[in-house]
Amino acid sequence: MRKIDKQQPPQLFTSWVKEKPTNINQNQRFEQLHEQHQWGIVSALRESLSAEQYYLCAYCCCSISGEQKDTMNEHVEARALAPQRALDYSNIVASCKNLGQCDNAHKGKPLPLTPLMPECETELKFSISGRVKGMTTRACVTIQTLNLGDTERNNRALIEKRKNIIQSLLFSEGLDPDDRITLEDDDIVYLLIEELKNIENGKLRPFSPVLINVVNNFK
Ligand SMILES: [Zn+2]
């Protein structure tokens, strides 16, 4: 995960929230977006969230387009648990639509570690095997809830995808995880991390936060 710095909500959404009738609650107002086919507002929301996340899924960091085909507006604190936060832009992120993980796995469960917390970048540890491990209890719970690939049995597809991306990066940089890191490699690692933080046309490289996490463990 990568810490998300929330920006301002899109104007269309803000106006919609302001027009909420007093006899309904926030969650009912959010549901009206779909009931009343307010697709312009739904897609403005999705696009705005995707842009502030540099077009990476809030949870697994795969690439998202910001369009309906592969991107969801997702509540970090689930609407079932916090209906009063259903219209709170700081509680909404963009998630991928991959089955069995992220938004699709989250449902109404609590998330003790979220991409709105800076610790999300350090309490999850990725290895060159492609697997992820929680360094704290809350990280383990979040990994399980979102099914982020702690074991092949749980999410082989995601682990394989990460493994391939990690290995091709290490190979292209001439970094051998089995070798001891030398002083010279230290510079490569530093430059590589800077490169992985690079934003091009408003986009981060798919899985770049995962790659940074792996490379950081080389130091
Ligand atoms: Zn995802």
Side-chain angles (χ1 to χ4, degrees), residues 35 85 89 107 114-115 126 134 140 150 173 177 187:
E35 287 162 9
R85 296 196 69 197
Y89 186 74
K107 309 228 174 344
T114 78
F126 296 89
C140 294
D150 50 348
E173 296 295 328
D187 286 344

Side-chain angles (χ1 to χ4, degrees), residues 57-62 64 94-98 101-103 148:
C57 169
Y59 300 137
C60 75
C61 294
C62 75
I64 51 173
S95 166
C96 71
K97 280 184 161 180
N98 293 327
Q101 66 179 65
C102 301
D103 166 83
L148 295 178

Side-chain angles (χ1 to χ4, degrees), residues 13 46 72 89 116 132 150 161 185 197:
F13 181 68
R46 203 169 43 222
M72 290 284 299
Y89 186 74
L116 304 172
V132 65
D150 50 348
K161 204 185 286 177
D185 284 340
K197 287 181 182 167

